Amino acid sequence: MSETGPVGGLGDAAQPGTGEVTATVIVRAPAPRVFAAFLDWERQSDWIPFTKVRVVEGDGGEGSLIEAVTAFGPAVVRDEMRVVRVDAPYELRVVHCGKVLRGPGSMRCTAMGGDRTQVVMHEWFHLPGGAAGKLAWPVLWPGSKMGFKGALKKFGRLVEEGKLP
């Protein structure tokens, strides 16, 4: 993502929004394996609750369009992400470019001693609903943070158990 302007025609979606969520986990596996597991887009459905992920365009690398559909009862949220940078095994950047979820996101892997990897996911969402969305964010943020962290912990367990990639 460009720090100074929009990425590849993605307009304001490429710019950080006011809703910010970060989660970190240490995975007992080497960074290349952790990174490869994360890029296995369809398998993200194994660790992100109520969500089906698929590659819509491309091969899953830079320029690809990824779709994640989360359904919980009658509520359905469709998240479209454009992959804007893949720097394996260190960093992946996407831009959420759908109608509801918009904003940049990143996943970074940092190799540590003993074949451990620190994974940091960071998302900056544009909040829907204008002023009402900004007022609701402090109430919604803790749940978003817990969900994000829980999914990332499950991802780490699956990698450590050899179930991913």
Side-chain angles (χ1 to χ4, degrees):
M1 280 176 299
S2 167
E3 302 301 325
T4 59
V7 174
L10 293 168
D12 71 334
Q15 299 304 312
T18 55
E20 186 175 356
V21 181
T22 302
T24 303
V25 69
I26 304 294
V27 181
R28 289 185 313 268
R33 192 167 127 222
V34 172
F35 195 86
F38 195 88
L39 275 183
D40 191 348
W41 294 105
E42 283 81 10
R43 296 291 307 274
Q44 286 190 11
S45 301
D46 295 349
W47 53 274
I48 302 174
F50 313 108
T51 302
K52 293 291 180 202
V53 181
R54 69 186 183 105
V55 177
V56 176
E57 248 175 53
D59 61 3
E62 280 186 28
S64 296
L65 183 65
I66 311 300
E67 176 187 69
V69 178
T70 303
F72 188 74
V76 177
V77 175
R78 183 171 179 254
D79 182 8
E80 293 177 292
M81 294 165 275
R82 182 68 67 183
V83 179
V84 295
R85 181 173 184 195
V86 177
D87 182 15
Y90 308 107
E91 182 181 40
L92 168 74
R93 290 186 182 196
V94 300
V95 173
H96 299 269
C97 55
K99 292 179 181 169
V100 176
L101 295 176
R102 300 177 59 74
S106 68
M107 187 277 297
R108 291 187 179 97
C109 289
T110 303
M112 302 172 67
D115 273 344
R116 294 176 308 138
T117 303
Q118 179 188 53
V119 179
V120 178
M121 288 181 59
H122 200 122
E123 305 276 356
W124 297 267
F125 290 111
H126 294 256
L127 301 174
K134 288 180 182 177
L135 286 173
W137 180 244
V139 175
L140 298 174
W141 180 84
S144 297
K145 173 88 172 165
M146 283 177 27
F148 214 50
K149 179 73 173 180
L152 199 55
K153 281 179 150 184
K154 185 173 183 180
F155 166 76
R157 279 194 310 274
L158 291 172
V159 172
E160 290 172 357
E161 294 168 0
K163 296 177 181 173
L164 286 176

